[in-house]
Amino acid sequence: MDNFTVGVVVFPGSNCDRDVSWALEGCLDIRTKYLWHESSDLSDVDAIVLPGGFSYGDYLRCGAIARFSPLINALDEFVKSGKRVLGICNGFQILTESGFLPGALVANKNLNFICDDVELDIISSKGGWFNNVDEKQTIKLPIAHGEGRYHCDSDTLKKLVDNELIALRYRNNPNGSSFDIAGITNEKGNVLGLMPHPERACDETIGGTDGLFTLKSLILK
Amino acid sequence: MDQFAVKVFVRLRPSVLDPAGEATKSASIKLGAEGIKSLRIGKMIEVKIEGNGEDEVRKKIDLLCDRLFANIVIEDYEYSLEKL
């Protein structure tokens, strides 16, 4: 995997791009490359992370405007080719707004911005994102969001359950998400969106390493 | 070309909890207002737009509403249109 390169997308307002790059390069020795949102050339990256933050200031709705960036337009072919895309927090919001994942993220039930560590049950390892996290069934990751309440209609929820597309569920649902959902994948499993921040849990000195495997899974074929 | 003033109203669907509306309802009751049965908060977007007649403009606004102004997974929209 010497030449494997993960593209970390930078939108105006991204603020976790450097964290993701630090975690991948510093903790996992995986090469990264920042991709400006106006770029549509994805030919020299092997996987992509849409990081957390407030793309375009979250104007209109979270992720609504980022959806129209040239890079997101180019993502369709990238995803269809089976390459892996990870959307974290605002990245998850962008993936739902752009239709790569179903549902939507809305304001937390209690209106608080929640910054905390949460326990998560691994529900599905579709796509291999959570395989062998030291064989844990439950992991602990940080969350930091004001609009992280996952919402979808009952038909979509049934589809998510039936097709094992729910990757993570909150143990103590902090934001009112439908069915305690914290992260989902697409049907193929190569796109994962989640509200918790794995890149903030990659070193014991900052509170844990449960995020490492998810980021390492970017290099899976 | 005709010019139109369009007011688009975007609201969370009735089935989607509106925490901001609930908080504002609670504050309204604390203020002493009586009889509030429900309170929900939406957005109003004002657009001035040119087009060849109302039908063409409605098509443009429908596209904008469906693809940008509202997320139809969670929101409904309606709009009014006035020829200037």
Side-chain angles (χ1 to χ4, degrees):
Chain A
M1 292 314 237
D2 284 350
N3 296 317
F4 195 96
T5 304
V6 176
V8 180
V9 184
V10 183
F11 296 96
S14 295
N15 64 11
C16 299
D17 41 351
R18 290 188 183 195
D19 300 26
V20 169
S21 184
W22 168 82
L24 284 167
E25 296 208 343
C27 302
L28 290 163
D29 204 22
I30 298 171
R31 184 191 301 182
T32 65
K33 178 189 176 183
Y34 291 119
L35 298 171
W36 184 235
H37 66 114
E38 287 177 339
S39 163
S40 56
D41 179 8
L42 307 178
S43 59
D44 55 355
V45 296
D46 303 289
I48 282 180
V49 177
L50 304 175
F54 301 87
S55 56
Y56 298 87
D58 275 353
Y59 294 151
L60 194 61
R61 290 182 311 281
C62 302
I65 296 176
R67 166 190 170 185
F68 294 99
S69 71
L71 192 139
I72 296 295
N73 285 330
L75 208 54
D76 195 37
E77 207 168 306
F78 193 84
V79 168
K80 279 182 184 153
S81 74
K83 290 182 179 169
R84 298 168 82 80
V85 176
L86 170 63
I88 302 167
C89 200
N90 191 234
F92 185 16
Q93 294 162 343
I94 294 168
L95 288 172
T96 57
E97 281 286 338
S98 51
F100 289 105
L101 294 172
L105 281 310
V106 285
N108 295 343
K109 189 176 179 180
N110 60 8
L111 276 178
N112 289 340
F113 185 97
I114 308 168
C115 186
D116 206 353
D117 287 339
V118 294
E119 290 196 328
L120 300 147
D121 287 326
I122 298 168
I123 305 301
S124 163
S125 56
K126 193 157 207 150
W129 296 97
F130 299 98
N131 273 348
N132 306 320
V133 187
D134 297 330
E135 297 177 349
K136 287 182 186 177
Q137 298 302 308
T138 302
I139 55 175
K140 192 159 90 172
L141 293 176
I143 56 168
H145 58 243
E147 300 188 33
R149 176 165 56 106
Y150 183 79
H151 177 89
C152 64
D153 61 33
S154 53
D155 289 346
T156 304
L157 182 58
K158 184 174 185 311
K159 199 172 158 190
L160 290 174
V161 172
D162 291 349
N163 295 305
E164 299 180 342
L165 306 182
I166 298 169
L168 292 176
R169 290 179 72 193
Y170 299 108
R171 283 227 147 172
N172 299 297
N173 193 341
N175 53 27
S177 288
S178 301
F179 204 54
D180 306 327
I181 288 173
I184 57 173
T185 65
N186 64 346
E187 293 198 18
K188 211 170 179 179
N190 62 321
V191 178
L192 169 69
L194 75 172
M195 287 314 295
H197 287 264
E199 79 281 11
R200 296 186 190 178
C202 287
D203 192 302
E204 287 295 356
T205 57
I206 57 169
T209 56
D210 282 355
L212 275 175
F213 195 86
T214 302
L215 294 187
K216 196 176 177 183
S217 301
L218 284 161
I219 66 172
L220 292 176
K221 288 285 181 191
Chain B
M1 286 288 225
D2 303 316
Q3 194 176 88
F4 293 83
V6 184
K7 284 183 180 170
V8 182
F9 297 92
V10 180
R11 300 181 177 89
L12 281 172
R13 290 188 163 202
S15 60
V16 180
L17 174 72
D18 175 12
E22 290 297 318
T24 309
K25 179 184 167 188
S26 167
S28 302
I29 292 166
K30 282 179 190 156
L31 186 64
E34 290 177 2
I36 296 176
K37 300 296 177 198
S38 75
L39 193 160
R40 293 176 70 81
I41 293 177
K43 288 175 228 174
M44 198 258 284
I45 301 165
E46 290 184 307
V47 188
K48 274 190 185 155
I49 184 168
E50 282 185 341
N52 290 315
E54 187 176 323
D55 287 351
E56 184 187 294
V57 167
R58 280 189 182 276
K59 275 185 191 159
K60 290 182 191 175
I61 296 293
D62 284 336
L63 175 73
L64 287 170
C65 288
D66 280 332
R67 296 206 52 210
L68 178 62
F69 295 162
N71 178 341
I72 56 174
V73 175
I74 47 170
E75 294 170 326
D76 291 326
Y77 66 84
E78 59 187 67
Y79 59 86
S80 63
L81 188 136
E82 180 193 354
K83 191 173 174 185
L84 296 174

